[in-house]
Amino acid sequence: MNNLYNKKNINNEENVMLNVYLSGEIHTDWRDEIINLCQKEGLDINFSSPVTNHELSDNCGVEILGDEENNYWKDNKGAKINSMRTKKSIEDSDVVIVKFGEKYKQWNAAFDAGYASALNKSIIVIHSDDHQHPLKEVDAAACAVTKDQGQAVKILKYIQQGNL
Amino acid sequence: MNNLYNKKNINNEENVMLNVYLSGEIHTDWRDEIINLCQKEGLDINFSSPVTNHELSDNCGVEILGDEENNYWKDNKGAKINSMRTKKSIEDSDVVIVKFGEKYKQWNAAFDAGYASALNKSIIVIHSDDHQHPLKEVDAAACAVTKDQGQAVKILKYIQQGNL
Amino acid sequence: MNNLYNKKNINNEENVMLNVYLSGEIHTDWRDEIINLCQKEGLDINFSSPVTNHELSDNCGVEILGDEENNYWKDNKGAKINSMRTKKSIEDSDVVIVKFGEKYKQWNAAFDAGYASALNKSIIVIHSDDHQHPLKEVDAAACAVTKDQGQAVKILKYIQQGNL
Amino acid sequence: MNNLYNKKNINNEENVMLNVYLSGEIHTDWRDEIINLCQKEGLDINFSSPVTNHELSDNCGVEILGDEENNYWKDNKGAKINSMRTKKSIEDSDVVIVKFGEKYKQWNAAFDAGYASALNKSIIVIHSDDHQHPLKEVDAAACAVTKDQGQAVKILKYIQQGNL
Amino acid sequence: MNNLYNKKNINNEENVMLNVYLSGEIHTDWRDEIINLCQKEGLDINFSSPVTNHELSDNCGVEILGDEENNYWKDNKGAKINSMRTKKSIEDSDVVIVKFGEKYKQWNAAFDAGYASALNKSIIVIHSDDHQHPLKEVDAAACAVTKDQGQAVKILKYIQQGNL
Amino acid sequence: MNNLYNKKNINNEENVMLNVYLSGEIHTDWRDEIINLCQKEGLDINFSSPVTNHELSDNCGVEILGDEENNYWKDNKGAKINSMRTKKSIEDSDVVIVKFGEKYKQWNAAFDAGYASALNKSIIVIHSDDHQHPLKEVDAAACAVTKDQGQAVKILKYIQQGNL
Amino acid sequence: MNNLYNKKNINNEENVMLNVYLSGEIHTDWRDEIINLCQKEGLDINFSSPVTNHELSDNCGVEILGDEENNYWKDNKGAKINSMRTKKSIEDSDVVIVKFGEKYKQWNAAFDAGYASALNKSIIVIHSDDHQHPLKEVDAAACAVTKDQGQAVKILKYIQQGNL
Amino acid sequence: MNNLYNKKNINNEENVMLNVYLSGEIHTDWRDEIINLCQKEGLDINFSSPVTNHELSDNCGVEILGDEENNYWKDNKGAKINSMRTKKSIEDSDVVIVKFGEKYKQWNAAFDAGYASALNKSIIVIHSDDHQHPLKEVDAAACAVTKDQGQAVKILKYIQQGNL
């Protein structure tokens, strides 16, 4: 009786999946780590993520729509196209996991967290202790703040299966 | 013609299920009673529930995210994680059944009822006559107030199948 | 290219169905007429309707929850239970068809139309010319006002298949 | 301490008014009766109502926008213009009072009640016992069902002033 | 620059007030305590509250709408009327303060908290340490959990004036 | 890891499709061009479109509901019926592609774009350079402005597959 | 009793105004015509409009934020700034009047109409008979279609004062 | 005719003000600069801002609610209280101005921008060229990206007064 939805409900319909959006830095393989851990645990989760090919993510606007001399407009075109994927992913998600890494500004991660918060999504934040103070407003909007991917997966497992 | 959606619609698509969240006390097996009764009636219902392992529900926060000396923060961590499951369950539900037992404060059950009411969900409340006066505001927000699980199942059957 | 969604889309997924709620009088078999006509046309529609067994619809409250001396409370209990089915049906629907027959007050039909209108659902009203003037506010909220079930089915066919 | 907002709040700002829309039949002077009773009680209420000049209400469409040979279109033009006033009034209201009189179909009153219900407005219904059964679905969506204007005013007084 | 809105903005418009709903037990004078403390601090706050005359609150339904033999319906009529005031108060509020006292079930307070939470209102909970564990789900939905009225007023002052 | 949802998620459920509404002119075969290009790319997209048979689209109202002498009412009946399909299509879509051709007023295309924008849908506009200035408000609401169907398909591919 | 809100309500509060946004072409003085006519009628209306200085409207982006070589980005900057005013105006309005003149594409007017329609605003369209067919989808979303400013003012008067 | 609302509308009501929230860094006096510039221009704007006393903002949680040994909980308490002010400010605003300074992580600023974006608020971003690339996702959600406070004020003036 502990599953969110019983594996096979009383009429043998399929399970409802948990939709999870993986927001944040794209320079390490933390997303694969989460997905692999969930797979090992047999979790029933539908993951989405931004395009994680950094070069492609930066250049998609000018590659598709034509060059720009000004970097501002190059970035604007690219960010607008990427926003189509991000918006759908956040709106369709039940849980948004936002990972803050050690490097870079990562303002897009904080922006996603704010967007998800206004839509009343459940948020899990992952960051090291070093970032604790500057991330306090983001953490305060979260359902859980974890130190690593393993803790985040334990939460997903607990939410879906009701055990640890 | 009485089913909410005909068992097999005119194009042989599958039925739309009724999603029901079972909120409230976790010290008796009332959820299993409802699910079993629905199964006997052949109802097409997708049930969700909070984690009903009481000890796990209380300790999930510190087990996953690390110990706390202060009970307030221990409970805060746990309640925040449990809220991820509750929020999804209520938002996805068509009907929320809230059971008030004889013991304990059960403020989370009343909180769930208020949350469900603001989202315009159909609410069924189960409680004994003893609780009638203090539950009057919760009852007033409900579509039905029943004395036991059997009555609640009869309502679900009537809603889905159009018969008693 | 005229189908709302191509019968088989480019990845061979199944069609998205049109959800239609059939609101209004329950003394004639107009719902079966619509469903049968749609079946003949091969339409891909998921119909829902209120409980059309009049006696059961009137008595469900006291049958399930216990007798009332006062007819007001008997009707209140029944109407509250029926509202659970109506609310889900309207909220899940794309189109609400409201049929006004020749007899009875049918205030529940007009209530459903107002509820559907506030939720921005597409409304088709069916009524004879006799009711034209008193139904002018309901008609003004509709996408189409038809004289009979046949016209309503033609509209459903046109919306789904793009032909007549 | 019983007023919804203290007559003069702690910074001497003015009171927030209660907005009440008076929906329903326009053949008797029930609206004036309510407004006068509220005035006597010193209530702080902002009333709105449909255009109560029956002839004008019926003819406004063709008077302003030009004649129609077909009564359906004459009524459609008028009802569309009247809907602008009704929509604003219901959306701005805190409470919608819907009066059902003895005569006429009054489907627009039931339509307004459904519209208000979907917007989660508090509804007070006024009708005689004769209409109890056919109005059961409308009554079930209401916060109070009264027999006359006097009872409705007592409710408004109680809500605003906290006394009888 | 610390005021939420400068006392006199650059065009000498009046201040926007903070709307605060005071939910919870009606057996002590905690609401007056908060209002008086805010007045001493010169805060610009518009308070609303339920009807705090306990007897009147219990009897309003039958006093206005007529007697009931069954206590359930007596309470239902009263709670439905009281809900009109509560709903408007919560929906109009920026902050909901929910006080849990030492006695009684107070399920209406927890219900209000759930309702406010679903509407994304800022919640302040007041309770003693004794209630910490059973209120953990309510506390987890709050922006602040205070031990007494004084702390709650300090928060209101800080929010409005930006000082302590 | 670049797909919006992995082709086969960790529990082997089917992919979530992208829903795309193709709004705008119906005099060229630009919709087929997009659908065919997406098919070649193996994209998992569910397309919807208005009825593209121009004569049928113009005449559906009078064909189904009866003749009108006045062209205004003929067009009103037809447009109302077509709006049922358009409304569902836009509301169900993740992305709305609006194509402005060289001829005609195409105010319905701009209307659809405004409707989609208010619902926070991602919009792709297709038009030639000639229309750049008069379409500036529509373009400003879009995530991408393309010169042809090929660019639009590249965007859909990038959003769904994360590559070019 | 015919006013939307009585000129002086029973507690002598001020009237609630009607907010009207005047969307559409900026090459004739139709807005002044409407405002002057309303003033003569003593109507209590709060008008808003886009910036009607055409050159300024086109150049505001580059004037404020710096030059662009490419006209697309010049227009994008300007349209984005103008959208701030338009969005607030439409969202705050009760009624949106959209005027289509004889010249230009006026896609922004149709876009505004679609935006307003999705927000469930009451729409009045003004256009000559020549534009009847291409505007049929916009007209179908309107509460009234008028031939000139005078008719639109008569509607505003009727809505606010309940007379002609 | 260029004002958003004419200074004195036709019934001599007061102007509707523009509500602007000033989000972002609190280490320079950029808010005063904007407010002073608007005052010089005679703009009719209601500004709100976070508590700009940095030490108070960091310590408000423990100062009001009691000490914490762990910095995480100290920050959590403070951020939760500050969120009450931020949430109201953003929700009440028409325009959110987000300033990114040269120092610090400023993730709260990006979070506010995401929150405002999901609520469909008009956003103006202020930052230097150095931050252009890492802020591309935030900029893409904005109506204008300015280099300094002066440009932001010009936009506010243009929006409200329709001139430069």
Side-chain angles (χ1 to χ4, degrees):
Chain A
M1 252 299 298
N2 281 335
N3 286 344
L4 184 52
Y5 294 98
N6 303 301
K7 207 79 196 178
K8 285 291 170 184
N9 68 49
I10 58 169
N11 289 299
N12 283 321
E13 303 289 340
E14 289 194 15
N15 280 337
V16 171
M17 278 183 296
L18 207 56
N19 292 323
V20 176
Y21 179 62
L22 302 169
S23 172
E25 57 114 319
I26 59 175
H27 306 89
T28 66
D29 63 350
W30 68 275
R31 286 181 184 80
D32 290 322
E33 194 181 337
I34 284 181
I35 293 174
N36 289 338
L37 284 169
C38 286
Q39 203 162 9
K40 282 185 196 156
E41 297 285 355
L43 301 184
D44 196 12
I45 294 173
N46 210 344
F47 289 102
S48 62
S49 62
V51 173
T52 54
N53 180 327
H54 196 173
E55 197 183 342
L56 200 54
S57 173
D58 273 4
N59 295 330
C60 64
V62 292
E63 292 264 356
I64 297 173
L65 300 172
D67 277 343
E68 292 291 332
E69 290 189 15
N70 189 326
N71 271 338
Y72 178 82
W73 293 120
K74 176 193 166 191
D75 280 344
N76 185 269
K77 277 174 159 179
K80 282 280 190 189
I81 288 178
N82 283 315
S83 77
M84 299 173 76
R85 180 161 161 145
T86 307
K87 184 157 65 175
K88 175 173 172 56
S89 298
I90 296 181
E91 285 172 0
D92 286 357
S93 68
D94 304 304
V95 175
V96 175
I97 299 182
V98 192
K99 160 96 175 181
F100 288 85
E102 298 310 303
K103 295 183 197 165
Y104 306 102
K105 296 292 187 185
Q106 307 176 75
W107 283 319
N108 58 326
F111 182 89
D112 281 359
Y115 197 96
S117 179
L119 296 183
N120 198 25
K121 302 293 178 184
S122 292
I123 298 171
I124 298 172
V125 185
I126 308 175
H127 63 76
S128 70
D129 285 349
D130 294 348
H131 286 341
Q132 186 267 314
H133 187 65
L135 278 173
K136 62 184 182 299
E137 288 88 359
V138 177
D139 287 357
C143 290
V145 179
T146 74
K147 290 190 193 317
D148 53 38
Q149 286 71 255
Q151 287 187 336
V153 169
K154 280 182 190 162
I155 293 170
L156 294 178
K157 185 182 181 191
Y158 174 79
I159 293 171
Q160 190 167 69
Q161 299 188 335
N163 54 50
L164 298 179
Chain B
M1 253 299 298
N2 281 335
N3 286 344
L4 185 51
Y5 294 99
N6 303 300
K7 207 76 196 179
K8 286 291 172 184
N9 68 49
I10 57 166
N11 290 298
N12 284 320
E13 303 290 339
E14 289 194 16
N15 279 337
V16 171
M17 277 184 297
L18 207 57
N19 292 323
V20 176
Y21 180 62
L22 302 170
S23 172
E25 56 114 318
I26 59 175
H27 306 90
T28 65
D29 62 350
W30 68 275
R31 286 179 184 81
D32 290 321
E33 193 180 338
I34 284 182
I35 293 173
N36 290 337
L37 284 169
C38 286
Q39 203 161 9
K40 281 184 197 157
E41 297 285 357
L43 301 184
D44 196 12
I45 294 174
N46 210 344
F47 289 102
S48 61
S49 62
V51 173
T52 54
N53 179 327
H54 197 175
E55 197 182 343
L56 200 54
S57 173
D58 273 4
N59 295 329
C60 64
V62 292
E63 292 263 356
I64 297 173
L65 300 172
D67 277 344
E68 292 292 332
E69 291 189 15
N70 189 325
N71 271 338
Y72 177 81
W73 293 121
K74 177 193 166 190
D75 280 344
N76 185 269
K77 277 174 158 178
K80 282 279 191 189
I81 288 178
N82 283 316
S83 76
M84 299 172 76
R85 180 162 161 143
T86 306
K87 184 157 64 175
K88 176 173 171 55
S89 298
I90 296 181
E91 285 172 0
D92 285 358
S93 68
D94 303 305
V95 175
V96 175
I97 299 182
V98 191
K99 160 95 176 182
F100 288 85
E102 297 311 302
K103 296 183 196 165
Y104 306 103
K105 296 291 187 186
Q106 307 178 74
W107 283 318
N108 58 327
F111 181 88
D112 282 358
Y115 196 96
S117 179
L119 297 183
N120 199 25
K121 301 294 178 183
S122 293
I123 298 171
I124 298 172
V125 185
I126 308 175
H127 64 76
S128 70
D129 285 349
D130 294 349
H131 287 340
Q132 185 267 314
H133 188 65
L135 278 173
K136 62 185 181 299
E137 288 88 0
V138 177
D139 287 356
C143 290
V145 180
T146 74
K147 292 191 191 316
D148 53 39
Q149 286 70 256
Q151 287 187 337
V153 169
K154 279 183 190 161
I155 293 170
L156 295 178
K157 184 181 181 191
Y158 175 77
I159 294 171
Q160 190 167 70
Q161 300 189 334
N163 53 50
L164 298 180
Chain C
M1 253 301 298
N2 281 334
N3 286 345
L4 185 51
Y5 294 100
N6 303 302
K7 207 80 195 179
K8 285 292 171 183
N9 67 49
I10 57 168
N11 290 298
N12 284 320
E13 303 289 340
E14 288 196 14
N15 280 337
V16 171
M17 276 184 297
L18 207 57
N19 292 323
V20 176
Y21 180 61
L22 302 170
S23 172
E25 57 114 319
I26 58 176
H27 306 88
T28 65
D29 62 351
W30 68 276
R31 286 180 184 80
D32 290 322
E33 193 180 339
I34 284 181
I35 294 173
N36 290 338
L37 283 169
C38 286
Q39 203 161 10
K40 282 185 197 156
E41 297 286 353
L43 301 184
D44 196 12
I45 294 174
N46 210 345
F47 289 102
S48 62
S49 63
V51 173
T52 54
N53 179 327
H54 196 174
E55 198 183 343
L56 200 54
S57 173
D58 273 3
N59 295 330
C60 63
V62 293
E63 293 264 356
I64 297 173
L65 299 172
D67 277 345
E68 292 292 332
E69 289 190 16
N70 189 326
N71 271 338
Y72 178 81
W73 294 120
K74 177 194 165 188
D75 279 344
N76 185 270
K77 278 173 157 180
K80 282 281 192 189
I81 289 178
N82 284 316
S83 77
M84 300 173 75
R85 179 163 163 144
T86 307
K87 184 157 64 175
K88 176 173 171 56
S89 298
I90 296 181
E91 285 172 0
D92 286 359
S93 68
D94 304 305
V95 175
V96 175
I97 299 182
V98 192
K99 159 94 175 183
F100 289 86
E102 297 310 302
K103 296 183 196 165
Y104 306 103
K105 296 292 188 185
Q106 308 178 73
W107 283 319
N108 58 327
F111 181 88
D112 282 359
Y115 196 96
S117 179
L119 297 182
N120 198 25
K121 301 294 177 184
S122 292
I123 298 171
I124 298 173
V125 185
I126 308 175
H127 65 76
S128 71
D129 284 348
D130 294 348
H131 286 340
Q132 185 267 316
H133 188 65
L135 278 173
K136 63 184 180 301
E137 288 88 0
V138 177
D139 287 356
C143 290
V145 179
T146 74
K147 292 191 190 316
D148 53 39
Q149 286 72 254
Q151 287 187 335
V153 169
K154 279 184 190 161
I155 292 170
L156 295 177
K157 184 181 181 190
Y158 175 78
I159 293 172
Q160 190 168 71
Q161 299 189 335
N163 53 49
L164 299 180
Chain D
M1 253 300 298
N2 281 333
N3 286 344
L4 184 52
Y5 294 98
N6 303 300
K7 205 81 199 177
K8 285 291 169 181
N9 68 48
I10 59 168
N11 289 296
N12 285 320
E13 303 289 340
E14 288 195 16
N15 280 336
V16 171
M17 277 184 296
L18 208 57
N19 292 324
V20 176
Y21 179 62
L22 302 169
S23 172
E25 57 115 317
I26 59 174
H27 306 91
T28 66
D29 63 351
W30 68 276
R31 287 181 184 81
D32 291 321
E33 193 181 339
I34 284 181
I35 293 174
N36 290 336
L37 283 168
C38 286
Q39 203 161 10
K40 282 186 195 155
E41 296 286 355
L43 300 184
D44 196 13
I45 293 173
N46 210 345
F47 289 102
S48 62
S49 63
V51 173
T52 54
N53 180 326
H54 196 171
E55 198 184 343
L56 200 53
S57 174
D58 273 3
N59 296 328
C60 65
V62 291
E63 292 264 355
I64 297 173
L65 299 173
D67 278 344
E68 293 291 333
E69 289 191 16
N70 189 327
N71 271 338
Y72 178 81
W73 293 121
K74 177 193 166 190
D75 280 344
N76 185 270
K77 278 174 157 181
K80 283 279 189 190
I81 289 178
N82 283 317
S83 76
M84 300 173 75
R85 180 163 163 145
T86 307
K87 184 157 64 174
K88 175 173 172 54
S89 298
I90 296 180
E91 284 171 2
D92 286 358
S93 68
D94 304 304
V95 176
V96 174
I97 299 182
V98 191
K99 161 93 175 183
F100 288 85
E102 298 311 302
K103 295 183 197 165
Y104 306 103
K105 297 291 188 185
Q106 307 177 76
W107 283 318
N108 58 325
F111 181 88
D112 282 358
Y115 196 96
S117 179
L119 297 182
N120 199 23
K121 302 293 178 183
S122 293
I123 298 171
I124 298 172
V125 184
I126 308 175
H127 64 76
S128 70
D129 285 349
D130 294 348
H131 287 339
Q132 186 268 314
H133 187 67
L135 278 172
K136 62 185 182 299
E137 288 88 359
V138 177
D139 287 356
C143 290
V145 179
T146 74
K147 291 190 191 318
D148 54 39
Q149 286 71 255
Q151 287 187 336
V153 169
K154 279 183 190 161
I155 292 170
L156 294 178
K157 186 182 180 191
Y158 175 78
I159 294 171
Q160 188 166 73
Q161 298 188 337
N163 53 49
L164 298 180
Chain E
M1 253 299 300
N2 281 334
N3 286 344
L4 185 52
Y5 294 99
N6 303 300
K7 206 80 199 179
K8 286 290 170 183
N9 67 49
I10 58 166
N11 289 298
N12 284 320
E13 303 290 339
E14 289 194 14
N15 280 336
V16 171
M17 277 184 297
L18 208 56
N19 292 324
V20 176
Y21 180 61
L22 302 169
S23 172
E25 57 114 317
I26 59 175
H27 307 90
T28 66
D29 63 351
W30 69 276
R31 286 181 184 81
D32 291 323
E33 193 180 338
I34 284 181
I35 293 174
N36 289 337
L37 283 168
C38 286
Q39 202 162 10
K40 281 185 195 156
E41 297 285 355
L43 300 184
D44 196 14
I45 294 173
N46 210 345
F47 289 102
S48 62
S49 63
V51 173
T52 55
N53 180 326
H54 196 172
E55 198 184 342
L56 200 53
S57 173
D58 274 3
N59 296 329
C60 64
V62 292
E63 292 264 355
I64 297 173
L65 299 173
D67 278 344
E68 292 292 332
E69 290 190 15
N70 190 326
N71 271 338
Y72 177 82
W73 293 120
K74 176 192 167 190
D75 280 345
N76 185 270
K77 276 173 158 180
K80 282 278 190 190
I81 289 178
N82 283 317
S83 77
M84 299 172 76
R85 180 162 161 144
T86 306
K87 183 158 65 174
K88 175 173 172 55
S89 297
I90 296 180
E91 284 173 0
D92 285 358
S93 67
D94 304 305
V95 176
V96 174
I97 299 182
V98 191
K99 160 93 175 181
F100 289 85
E102 298 310 303
K103 296 182 198 166
Y104 305 103
K105 296 292 188 184
Q106 307 177 75
W107 283 318
N108 58 325
F111 181 88
D112 282 359
Y115 197 96
S117 179
L119 297 182
N120 199 24
K121 301 294 178 183
S122 293
I123 297 171
I124 298 172
V125 184
I126 308 175
H127 63 76
S128 71
D129 285 348
D130 294 348
H131 286 341
Q132 186 266 315
H133 188 66
L135 278 172
K136 61 184 183 298
E137 287 89 359
V138 177
D139 287 357
C143 290
V145 180
T146 74
K147 291 191 191 317
D148 54 38
Q149 287 70 254
Q151 288 187 336
V153 169
K154 278 183 190 161
I155 292 170
L156 295 177
K157 185 181 180 191
Y158 175 78
I159 294 171
Q160 189 167 70
Q161 299 188 335
N163 53 50
L164 297 180
Chain F
M1 253 300 298
N2 281 333
N3 286 345
L4 186 51
Y5 293 99
N6 303 300
K7 205 80 197 177
K8 285 292 171 182
N9 69 49
I10 57 168
N11 289 297
N12 284 320
E13 304 290 341
E14 289 195 15
N15 280 336
V16 171
M17 278 184 296
L18 206 57
N19 292 323
V20 176
Y21 179 61
L22 301 170
S23 172
E25 57 114 320
I26 58 176
H27 306 89
T28 65
D29 62 352
W30 68 276
R31 287 180 184 81
D32 290 321
E33 191 180 342
I34 284 182
I35 293 173
N36 289 337
L37 283 169
C38 286
Q39 203 161 9
K40 282 185 196 157
E41 297 286 353
L43 301 184
D44 196 12
I45 294 174
N46 210 344
F47 289 101
S48 62
S49 63
V51 173
T52 54
N53 180 326
H54 196 173
E55 197 183 344
L56 199 54
S57 173
D58 273 4
N59 295 329
C60 64
V62 292
E63 293 264 356
I64 298 173
L65 299 172
D67 277 343
E68 293 291 333
E69 289 190 16
N70 189 327
N71 271 337
Y72 177 82
W73 294 121
K74 177 192 166 190
D75 279 343
N76 185 270
K77 277 174 158 179
K80 283 279 190 189
I81 288 178
N82 283 316
S83 77
M84 300 174 75
R85 180 162 162 145
T86 306
K87 184 157 65 173
K88 175 172 172 55
S89 299
I90 296 181
E91 285 172 0
D92 286 357
S93 68
D94 304 304
V95 175
V96 175
I97 300 182
V98 191
K99 159 95 175 184
F100 288 85
E102 297 311 302
K103 295 184 197 163
Y104 307 104
K105 296 293 188 184
Q106 307 179 74
W107 282 319
N108 58 327
F111 182 89
D112 281 358
Y115 197 96
S117 179
L119 297 182
N120 198 24
K121 301 294 178 183
S122 292
I123 298 171
I124 299 172
V125 184
I126 309 175
H127 64 75
S128 71
D129 285 348
D130 294 347
H131 286 340
Q132 185 268 315
H133 187 66
L135 278 173
K136 62 184 181 300
E137 288 87 359
V138 177
D139 287 356
C143 290
V145 179
T146 73
K147 290 191 193 315
D148 54 38
Q149 287 70 255
Q151 288 187 334
V153 169
K154 280 183 189 161
I155 292 170
L156 294 177
K157 184 181 181 192
Y158 176 78
I159 293 172
Q160 190 168 70
Q161 299 188 337
N163 52 49
L164 298 181
Chain G
M1 253 300 298
N2 281 335
N3 286 345
L4 184 52
Y5 293 99
N6 302 300
K7 206 82 197 176
K8 287 290 170 184
N9 69 49
I10 59 168
N11 289 297
N12 284 321
E13 304 290 340
E14 288 195 16
N15 280 337
V16 171
M17 276 184 298
L18 207 57
N19 292 324
V20 177
Y21 179 62
L22 302 170
S23 172
E25 57 115 319
I26 59 175
H27 307 90
T28 65
D29 62 350
W30 69 276
R31 287 180 184 81
D32 290 323
E33 194 181 339
I34 284 181
I35 293 173
N36 289 337
L37 284 169
C38 286
Q39 202 161 10
K40 281 186 196 154
E41 297 285 354
L43 301 184
D44 196 13
I45 294 173
N46 210 345
F47 289 102
S48 62
S49 63
V51 174
T52 53
N53 180 327
H54 196 172
E55 197 184 344
L56 200 54
S57 173
D58 273 3
N59 296 328
C60 65
V62 292
E63 292 264 355
I64 297 174
L65 299 172
D67 277 345
E68 292 292 333
E69 288 190 17
N70 189 327
N71 270 338
Y72 178 82
W73 293 121
K74 177 193 165 189
D75 280 344
N76 185 270
K77 278 173 156 180
K80 282 278 190 189
I81 289 178
N82 283 317
S83 77
M84 299 173 76
R85 179 162 163 145
T86 306
K87 184 157 64 174
K88 176 175 170 53
S89 298
I90 296 180
E91 285 172 0
D92 286 358
S93 69
D94 304 305
V95 175
V96 174
I97 300 182
V98 191
K99 160 92 175 184
F100 289 86
E102 298 311 302
K103 296 182 196 166
Y104 305 103
K105 296 292 188 185
Q106 308 178 76
W107 283 317
N108 57 326
F111 182 89
D112 282 358
Y115 197 96
S117 179
L119 297 182
N120 199 23
K121 302 293 178 183
S122 293
I123 298 171
I124 299 172
V125 184
I126 309 175
H127 64 76
S128 71
D129 285 347
D130 293 348
H131 286 341
Q132 186 267 315
H133 187 65
L135 278 172
K136 62 184 181 300
E137 287 88 359
V138 177
D139 287 356
C143 290
V145 180
T146 74
K147 292 191 189 317
D148 54 39
Q149 287 71 253
Q151 288 186 336
V153 169
K154 278 183 191 161
I155 292 170
L156 295 177
K157 185 181 181 192
Y158 175 78
I159 294 172
Q160 189 167 71
Q161 299 188 335
N163 53 49
L164 299 180
Chain H
M1 254 301 298
N2 280 334
N3 287 344
L4 185 51
Y5 294 100
N6 303 300
K7 206 80 198 179
K8 286 291 171 183
N9 68 48
I10 58 167
N11 290 296
N12 283 321
E13 305 289 339
E14 288 193 17
N15 280 335
V16 171
M17 277 184 298
L18 207 58
N19 292 323
V20 177
Y21 180 61
L22 301 169
S23 172
E25 58 113 319
I26 60 176
H27 306 90
T28 65
D29 62 352
W30 68 275
R31 286 180 185 81
D32 290 322
E33 192 180 338
I34 284 181
I35 293 174
N36 289 338
L37 283 169
C38 285
Q39 203 161 9
K40 281 186 196 155
E41 297 285 355
L43 301 185
D44 196 13
I45 294 173
N46 210 345
F47 289 102
S48 62
S49 62
V51 173
T52 55
N53 180 326
H54 196 173
E55 198 183 343
L56 200 54
S57 173
D58 273 4
N59 295 329
C60 65
V62 292
E63 292 264 355
I64 297 173
L65 299 172
D67 277 344
E68 292 293 332
E69 289 190 16
N70 189 326
N71 271 338
Y72 178 82
W73 293 120
K74 177 193 166 189
D75 280 344
N76 185 269
K77 277 173 157 180
K80 283 279 191 188
I81 289 178
N82 283 317
S83 77
M84 299 172 76
R85 179 162 161 145
T86 306
K87 184 157 65 176
K88 176 175 171 53
S89 298
I90 295 181
E91 284 172 1
D92 286 357
S93 67
D94 304 305
V95 176
V96 174
I97 300 182
V98 191
K99 160 93 174 182
F100 289 85
E102 298 311 303
K103 295 183 196 164
Y104 306 103
K105 296 292 188 186
Q106 307 178 76
W107 283 318
N108 59 327
F111 181 88
D112 282 359
Y115 197 96
S117 179
L119 297 183
N120 199 24
K121 302 294 178 182
S122 292
I123 297 172
I124 298 172
V125 184
I126 308 176
H127 64 74
S128 70
D129 285 348
D130 293 349
H131 287 341
Q132 186 266 315
H133 187 65
L135 279 172
K136 61 186 183 296
E137 287 88 0
V138 177
D139 287 357
C143 290
V145 179
T146 74
K147 292 191 189 318
D148 54 38
Q149 286 71 255
Q151 287 186 338
V153 169
K154 278 184 191 161
I155 292 170
L156 294 177
K157 184 180 181 191
Y158 175 77
I159 294 171
Q160 190 167 70
Q161 299 188 335
N163 52 48
L164 298 180

